[in-house]
DNA sequence: CGCCAGTTTGACCAAGATCAACGCAAGTGG
DNA sequence: CCACTTGCGTTGATCTTGGTCAAACTGGCG
């Protein structure tokens, strides 16, 4: 079955506070959201601009308002790894280390909200529901990371690409058509492959009639069953 | 530089609550630890016994008292992936999904404490310091998972093995000698390699004088610099 | 029009997987 | 006590997948 790793949305975290945790009153959600709005600041970044760098002080976290963000790390010899992509509604950069272990960059033009960690900690200490929301979000991120480890550690190149396409479809709330905001290079570094391999496999999927690709960044699903079959055979 | 992914210990989580979060009074630690002891139950498992299975209800989490636990997932065609090993002091199985996505198994004989999730949630809601401790633990797990993604996605087989040995050394609080509790097969499934590749690379390290291997599970570091050099070329 | 960045395709190569055999130590049963 | 089995670990020969190197293609833009 197709491995799913949907990004953690903050509103999701409040809407579905984990099965055992019970339900949060709707008014509570509004209050805490407003509380966050008050401590946040809007920022915008242009294509390939760095939002934070590896080694920066990790004094705040972010929520994507629009656009796509990539979290990545560069090895000394130039190899790059993309840990995750984040889309509108997703939160990123929440860490407990003093320094950033990864950098964050705008894939295209991006608008984010920036929240200071200290103020967030204060809000959380006074508000168990909010704390629970953030905790669930982090736990969801962790589960996604574990699924991604499975993909990177044990899946073949076609399985990785098929999984990626189905996952993107899911995360962008699409069923048939999809505009990929990231380059082939980004996809390769996300899947632990080379750009050539990603290209070849996408072309193969197209030849096999599983997808259509009117433009490099435009993907249309023609045979979802075939893709799903590819995704974990 | 060598990539580090130390497991999250519960006491660590309380001892170092993240740089920006301030310090927790020592009495607070004792109280919350006692609180946990009260809701926990001791369990023991024998070699290869299942602690929980994929699909089980996720109503509790665990702390390793002694022994080694592996968290793993089986693909339909028999491929296996080990998401993480946990040693004495590490916590595992804390999830917000209704069902387990991974199974947990005893690598050797294991003793754990089992804590119900519901009671934990209650404790956490009343105790911000405790909440923070658990949050930091989860964030540390997430950071480790991201480092492991880097290893699985972008590192060569010798780099993975060297990293693994250095990481085990660190996690077992050893500097020169190390007894690996897990089989070569476990190591392979943890590193996304085959057992043959793991064997060959360990033998190569031994031939190169980087390690000594008086018995398959006994590793002695002879040239840490060489290992470190291997670990990220 | 020509350039440029990103994408695609092809030919070849190498790292690691697969298949197979062997080693070795710890049981087990006669 | 010794044959026999069983479960790991190790090593070698060969094959496959995906990486590397190189060249061609495409669309946008000055």
């Amino acid at each position: 079955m197709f491995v799913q790793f949907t990004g953690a949305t903050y509103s999701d975290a409040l809407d579905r506070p984990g099965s055992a945790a019970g339900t949060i009153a709707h008014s509570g959600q509004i209050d805490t959201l407003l509380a966050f709005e008050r401590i946040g600041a809007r920022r915008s970044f242009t294509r390939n601009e760095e939002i934070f760098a590896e080694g920066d002080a990790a004094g705040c976290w972010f929520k994507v308002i629009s656009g796509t963000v990539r979290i990545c790390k560069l090895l000394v010899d130039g190899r790059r790894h993309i840990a995750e992509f984040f889309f509108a509604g997703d939160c990123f950069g929440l860490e407990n280390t003093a320094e950033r272990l990864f950098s964050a960059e705008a894939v295209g033009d991006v608008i984010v909200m920036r929240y200071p960690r200290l103020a967030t900690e204060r809000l959380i200490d006074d508000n168990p529901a909010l704390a629970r929301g953030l905790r669930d979000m982090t736990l969801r991120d962790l589960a996604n990371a574990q699924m991604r480890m499975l993909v990177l550690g044990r899946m073949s190149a076609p399985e990785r690409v098929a999984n990626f396409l189905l996952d993107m479809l899911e995360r962008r709330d699409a069923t048939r058509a999809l505009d990929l905001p990231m380059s082939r290079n980004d996809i390769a570094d996300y899947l632990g492959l080379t750009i050539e391999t990603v290209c070849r496999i996408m072309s193969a999927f197209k030849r096999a009639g599983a997808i259509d690709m009117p433009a490099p960044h435009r993907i249309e699903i023609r045979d979802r069953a075939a893709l799903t079959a590819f995704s974990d055979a």
Side-chain angles (χ1 to χ4, degrees), chain A:
Chain A
M1 204 200 57
F2 141 62
V3 178
Q4 193 180 317
F5 31 83
T6 312
T9 347
Y10 173 63
S11 51
D12 280 5
L14 282 185
D15 292 351
R16 310 186 238 112
S19 58
T23 310
I24 301 170
H26 190 69
S27 61
Q29 288 179 43
I30 301 295
D31 287 352
T32 55
L33 278 173
L34 285 179
F36 265 170
E37 293 315 315
R38 210 164 299 136
I39 64 168
R42 195 180 205 82
R43 290 283 161 107
S44 57
F45 297 88
T46 59
R47 184 179 145 81
N48 291 328
E49 201 179 346
E50 202 165 56
I51 298 172
F52 56 75
E54 205 181 316
D56 278 4
C60 49
W61 57 279
F62 299 84
K63 176 175 168 177
V64 181
I65 302 300
S66 71
T68 303
V69 171
R70 60 172 176 257
I71 301 299
C72 54
K73 197 175 182 81
L74 226 57
L75 297 194
V76 279
D77 59 1
R79 282 175 290 182
R80 187 181 69 151
H81 173 67
I82 294 183
E84 197 49 87
F85 292 110
F86 292 107
F87 305 118
D90 296 339
C91 297
F92 66 95
L94 190 55
E95 304 175 32
N96 64 347
T97 50
E99 296 196 352
R100 300 286 182 194
L101 301 173
F102 287 75
S103 66
E105 298 164 1
V107 170
D109 290 351
V110 162
I111 301 174
V112 299
M113 287 294 285
R114 193 174 62 81
Y115 304 101
R117 193 163 75 177
L118 221 66
T120 306
E121 294 275 353
R122 271 198 300 272
L123 278 181
I124 285 174
D125 282 352
D126 297 341
N127 190 331
L130 186 54
R132 201 179 298 172
L134 275 187
R135 191 165 60 245
D136 283 338
M137 190 184 76
T138 310
L139 285 172
R140 207 153 345 120
D141 282 344
L142 185 59
N144 294 343
Q146 286 174 335
M147 285 303 180
R148 263 178 62 60
M149 277 195 253
L150 176 70
V151 171
L152 294 172
R154 279 287 174 238
M155 287 197 173
S156 69
E159 288 169 340
R160 294 183 204 201
V161 174
N163 249 293
F164 172 76
L165 292 176
L166 290 170
D167 182 50
M168 284 300 120
L169 217 58
E170 179 108 0
R171 290 184 66 178
R172 311 301 296 279
D173 296 309
T175 54
R176 307 236 114 261
L178 180 62
D179 279 299
L180 296 174
M182 70 289 286
S183 70
R184 293 285 188 269
N185 233 310
D186 284 345
I187 298 174
D189 288 342
Y190 183 66
L191 297 179
L193 301 171
T194 58
I195 178 176
E196 293 95 328
T197 301
V198 172
C199 277
R200 270 188 265 270
I201 289 172
M202 292 240 202
S203 299
F205 283 172
K206 183 176 178 177
R207 262 194 309 281
I211 63 172
D212 218 350
M213 226 179 352
H217 289 259
R218 175 80 182 170
I219 307 289
E220 285 163 14
I221 310 299
R222 303 208 123 245
D223 184 352
R224 176 180 261 271
L227 259 196
T228 309
F230 269 125
S231 83
D232 58 6

